Every structure is written in structure tokens, then in C-alpha cells.
Amino acid sequence: MNTTLAPAPEPLPGAAETTIDLTGVTAYTAGIVRLAQAKGLRPAWGQPRGRTRRIVLDAVGPHGVFGSIVIGRSSGKVLRAEVIHGNDARVPRRAKGTNAVRALLMEVTPSACRQGCTAESSTACRP
């Protein structure tokens, strides 16, 4: 399957303006990446590791959500994800499997944090 995603229709502040080539992933995986884009997480390919590929998530600013989604290299399926809600978050949130990763990303609140933000906490950057 050759799927190229366009940016979200109404990008959030600082949302990525590029596309990510999802050649070889399942339709469910493509849907999860679209959800990450819609949440302003700017998904991009990271370095492959062994039998997996990694999609790096990184919202704009120091209080934006960041993390990764791990995908099976040959299957194209979502295996697990980890997200951290800004630099002041204490505990990363993790999920295993497609449905759990989708649920985890659904809970992400887009941040209004901008590059160079000097606010002391992420609550100051919320929309």
C-alpha cells in the first residue's frame, strides 16, 4: 500500500506542513498517523531499529507532546507507542497494540505552545 498523507485541513499552531510517506503500512497504521497529524504531533520517520520502524512525534514548543510510535518493519502494523505531555511531564504514557495506541492519541490535548515559549508550565500554553 502506498499512502502519502497531506497536512491536517486546519493546522494547529506550528503544525508540520510536510507529508509523511507511509509506504508499506496498514490502513489502520495510516489512520493512527493521520490522528497524530490532526493532534499537531508532526509525525516523521525516525531511524529504523532491528525489525521495527519508528515514527517520531514532536509538537512545537517545550510544552508540546512528544514521543514515538513503533511499527513492525515487515508487517506495517502499530506495535506500541509512548507519549510525554511536555517537558514538565513526570511519567510517559505507553500503549501496546493498534487500539490502545489510537486511544492514547485520542486523549492528547493539542498545545498552544509556540517555539521559544518561556511559560513555566504546560498549563500556561493550553488553548
Side-chain angles (χ1 to χ4, degrees), residues 57-100:
L57 307 173
D58 188 20
V60 172
H63 302 111
V65 173
F66 61 96
S68 64
I69 300 171
V70 178
I71 297 169
R73 194 179 241 183
S74 59
S75 69
K77 294 179 182 180
V78 170
L79 303 175
R80 62 188 171 275
E82 176 180 78
V83 297
I84 301 165
H85 289 271
N87 289 339
D88 57 348
R90 298 193 190 277
V91 179
R93 300 196 55 218
R94 294 180 175 99
K96 228 177 185 179
T98 306
N99 292 335

Side-chain angles (χ1 to χ4, degrees), residues 13-71:
E17 297 296 331
T18 61
T19 60
I20 179 171
D21 181 12
L22 294 175
T23 302
V25 302
T26 67
Y28 294 112
T29 300
I32 286 174
V33 174
R34 282 189 197 98
L35 175 59
Q37 280 185 319
K39 295 286 187 168
L41 301 180
R42 305 182 312 164
W45 285 112
Q47 293 295 321
R49 281 186 142 161
R51 295 182 176 177
T52 63
R53 296 190 291 170
R54 185 173 306 268
I55 294 180
V56 178
L57 307 173
D58 188 20
V60 172
H63 302 111
V65 173
F66 61 96
S68 64
I69 300 171
V70 178
I71 297 169

Side-chain angles (χ1 to χ4, degrees), residues 41 58-66 84-89 108-127:
L41 301 180
D58 188 20
V60 172
H63 302 111
V65 173
F66 61 96
I84 301 165
H85 289 271
N87 289 339
D88 57 348
V108 169
T109 304
S111 172
C113 193
R114 303 237 190 272
Q115 198 67 33
C117 173
T118 58
E120 292 192 26
S121 74
S122 61
T123 56
C125 295
R126 299 258 182 238

